[in-house]
Amino acid sequence: MNNNVIIFDTTLRDGEQSPGASMTGDEKLRIAKALEKMRVDVIEAGFPIASQGDFDAVRSIANAVKDSTVCGLARALDNDIDRVGEALKNANSARIHTFIATSPIHMRMKLRMSPDQVLEQAVQAVKRARKFTDNVEFSPEDAGRSELGFLCRIIEAVIDAGATTVNIPDTVGYNLPQQFGELIGQLIENVPNSDKAVFSVHCHNDLGLAVANSLSAVINGARQVECTINGLGERAGNAALEEIVMAVTTRQDIFPCNVSHIDKAQIVPTSRLVAGITGFAVQPNKAIVGVNAFAHESGIHQDGVLKSRDTYEIMRAEDVGWSTNRMVIGKHSGRNAFKTRLQELGITFESEADLNQTFMRFKELADKKHEIYDDDLQALATSTNLETENERVKLIALKVCSETGETPNALVTLNIDGVEHQMSASGGGPVDASFQAIETAVSSGSYLQLYSVNNITSGTDAQGEVTVRLEKGGHIVNGQGADTDIVIASAKAYINALNKLLIPKERQHPQV
Ligand code: KIV
Ligand code: ZN
């Protein structure tokens, strides 16, 4: 009997609702492919009615992903549902997820509807969604603060109308583990047709309990968990996929189900991909995917681990994809060795031209840096993929002058819409001067919200990986750049962000 918990990833939808985490269509597609590779069951690709860009992203994911079910979110409204149906038209396996709020406060204050009206709209929405697919999920939003009697009534009605998954969201992250587990148990017991649908949970982390609440729900009968990579999501985020998967895997003595279908070795690479694209760095002590998650600092621990790993380790770092980060190839390695290592790391390119370009970059890097590690290759691949976007601004050259007692100065040469421009500026430091020069040339009028530098590997010759977050009129974008010279990496990241900002974007939020 298949006793797997369905892993429903909503990084691309709820995750993207974190302020500052917006992603381009290409970036979403790359994350979707990484999730498919991890063998996630369902990928919630977005909220198609939000904007044309969101619709296009959901459609391109639906067209490209073959092994996971692709899902789109819709409020319980005809236009929303039709838009999802249209976006998922070519999906191998499609799901429509429709929702309406059921808590007294949401129904009264937000919807200004009576419970009966809400129930009727939910039923109509599920029936409409069933015209497009027989895989329909219904969520009573804010279920965690809804009345049990009304929840049972609406759930029974939507299952009768054709919902195959019923998702119970703790929208505001208010519940406690025991209480939430009991809620799921009571719903499964009291809804007469509960055996006709899979019960799912969707927990927010406002009290830091999203994972604990989800796991308690699984123990009480839920068989789908909605989660995100790195716990990204609205406000304090959603339940972290990596924690759910590894808790269920590690505590098989407790869970009556498993997640054996998930390729756990993809967890760390996917976490890094999401952190790089969104600019939301993973805290070092974050479970599973933080850099310190498997580091043993104290002498006693190190001694224990050396004698027998399981004295202090309940999971193995390599099982979740922490690479040994070995030195792979050097300056004299050929294209074939390079390509083989990329394949081993699961890095693929859309075209042979992209592979060749990355190989050229690898050679340039090998000239500057003696030892090339797996993480360097990941960064090279990311920077090649970044360039597939429609770039209006390109960096041609950058010269910076930084000297004790002098004001740093930068001279930048850019190609903007096919025309070369040169601009110089001074600033508090070489990065500041470079950004001033670029901004003077582009005149974006944007505001720098975040600037962060990470070294990809150790050593002073390591590549610096820079994230820049820009905001203009409520539109927030993230840019990335990597180079052994961190001033150049910073300029690349700034320009990458500017290119995204120059694409106009307007979108609706599903819960507003
Ligand atoms: O948190 C929430 O209630 C949601 C729903 C749309 C499922 O994200
Ligand atoms: Zn949510």
Side-chain angles (χ1 to χ4, degrees), residues 39-101:
R39 296 200 287 271
V40 157
D41 303 272
V42 187
I43 300 172
E44 188 163 54
F47 176 50
I49 197 91
S51 71
Q52 185 61 39
D54 286 60
F55 175 88
D56 292 340
V58 175
R59 187 176 46 188
S60 68
I61 291 168
N63 292 351
V65 166
K66 298 289 166 234
D67 298 333
S68 308
T69 295
V70 180
C71 174
L73 183 71
R75 290 165 297 189
L77 299 170
D78 290 355
N79 284 346
D80 280 38
I81 294 165
D82 296 354
R83 202 76 179 128
V84 179
E86 175 66 20
L88 297 181
K89 202 164 61 187
N90 298 324
N92 223 8
S93 164
R95 175 183 293 186
I96 299 180
H97 176 191
T98 183
F99 74 99
I100 189 165

Side-chain angles (χ1 to χ4, degrees), residues 46-285:
F47 176 50
I49 197 91
S51 71
Q52 185 61 39
D54 286 60
F55 175 88
D56 292 340
V58 175
R59 187 176 46 188
S60 68
I61 291 168
N63 292 351
V65 166
K66 298 289 166 234
D67 298 333
S68 308
T69 295
V70 180
C71 174
L73 183 71
R75 290 165 297 189
L77 299 170
D78 290 355
N79 284 346
D80 280 38
I81 294 165
D82 296 354
R83 202 76 179 128
V84 179
E86 175 66 20
L88 297 181
K89 202 164 61 187
N90 298 324
N92 223 8
S93 164
R95 175 183 293 186
I96 299 180
H97 176 191
T98 183
F99 74 99
I100 189 165
T102 53
S103 62
I105 183 166
H106 276 228
M107 291 192 288
R108 203 173 47 242
M109 307 303 288
K110 183 175 95 169
L111 300 175
R112 296 179 202 281
M113 286 168 76
S114 70
D116 284 343
Q117 286 172 321
V118 167
L119 187 145
E120 180 53 27
Q121 194 166 320
V123 165
Q124 291 315 322
V126 169
K127 286 188 176 158
R128 192 165 186 107
R130 281 294 302 236
K131 294 201 171 111
F132 295 96
T133 169
D134 56 11
N135 191 343
V136 174
E137 173 170 329
F138 172 76
S139 291
E141 189 194 357
D142 203 16
R145 293 190 299 169
S146 300
E147 283 165 4
L148 182 66
F150 181 54
L151 270 186
C152 289
R153 205 150 67 81
I154 195 166
I155 291 171
E156 182 182 358
V158 293
I159 295 176
D160 273 345
T164 44
T165 301
V166 172
N167 177 46
I168 306 302
D170 181 18
T171 304
V172 292
Y174 178 68
N175 282 241
L176 302 180
Q178 188 178 349
Q179 171 199 11
F180 196 63
E182 278 169 11
L183 171 66
I184 301 305
Q186 282 167 342
L187 290 174
I188 294 175
E189 201 176 305
N190 293 328
V191 171
N193 51 3
S194 65
D195 59 320
K196 305 269 182 321
V198 172
F199 276 70
S200 163
V201 286
H202 174 112
C203 296
H204 278 272
N205 206 28
D206 300 67
L207 293 173
L209 293 169
V211 169
N213 287 343
S214 306
L215 294 176
S216 172
V218 170
I219 290 170
N220 283 278
R223 284 296 174 270
Q224 173 176 288
V225 176
E226 302 200 353
C227 43
T228 57
I229 300 291
N230 300 339
L232 201 69
E234 186 93 42
R235 304 182 312 280
N238 290 62
L241 178 147
E242 60 278 6
E243 294 176 25
I244 298 287
V245 165
M246 291 317 291
V248 174
T249 305
T250 309
R251 296 307 307 268
Q252 275 294 294
D253 54 328
I254 301 287
F255 288 97
C257 48
N258 61 50
V259 283
S260 52
H261 59 300
I262 299 291
D263 181 357
K264 284 119 200 145
Q266 301 306 321
I267 287 179
V268 170
T270 310
S271 157
R272 290 187 158 196
L273 179 69
V274 170
I277 286 176
T278 58
F280 278 59
V282 174
Q283 75 196 56
N285 58 330

